[in-house]
Amino acid sequence: MTAVEEKPARLISGPGMLLVWFYGVMVVGAVSRSAYQISTEFDRAPLAYALSAVAGVVYGFITYTLVRGGEAARRAALVCCAAELAGVLLVGTWTLVDRSAFPDTTVWSYYGAGYVFIPVLLPLSAMYWLRKARNTVRP
């Protein structure tokens, strides 16, 4: 062990702090919504409610990695943001093509229209920030 422990470089300076705030809000929204729906009416739309819960977990992990900082966290967040974007595009397209597939909406339905399209804009913004932060974050 070295005499001075180095802290991981911060990812939440400047625009990163805004991303943490937005992801934190999305965690609360997605998790609370899906928890209520799963506990009260899961049989109505199990796929939609399960997808909302998955979205909440993904948002939580991205929030954690942004706060944790460091190069490994930056890479993990970048991979999760890409997976999040793929999920939003897949579910968003699926809800447009086959409206009967989801008796109730998910966080990612219609590209996040119920959440003011934040679910599609947030991973794009985060991926841009995380790629830009690559030059400033050191392992």
Side-chain angles (χ1 to χ4, degrees), residues 53-119:
V54 167
V57 170
V58 170
Y59 295 146
F61 183 77
I62 293 170
T63 304
Y64 167 76
T65 58
L66 288 171
V67 170
R68 184 172 185 279
E71 180 59 19
R74 187 195 68 77
R75 285 193 308 263
L78 194 55
V79 168
C80 283
C81 287
E84 172 195 359
L85 181 60
V88 172
L89 295 175
L90 177 71
V91 172
T93 302
W94 192 357
T95 55
L96 291 175
V97 171
D98 184 9
R99 293 177 189 260
S100 66
F102 295 92
D104 202 354
T105 59
T106 73
V107 173
W108 295 342
S109 293
Y110 307 104
Y111 307 107
Y115 288 79
V116 198
F117 297 101
I118 291 172

Side-chain angles (χ1 to χ4, degrees), residues 27-46 48-50 52-54 56 104-105 107 115:
V27 168
V28 172
V31 169
S32 60
R33 175 184 177 169
S34 64
Y36 173 78
Q37 290 172 322
I38 287 170
S39 65
T40 61
E41 53 193 12
F42 186 70
D43 57 332
R44 181 172 168 228
Y49 303 152
S52 288
V54 167
D104 202 354
T105 59
V107 173
Y115 288 79

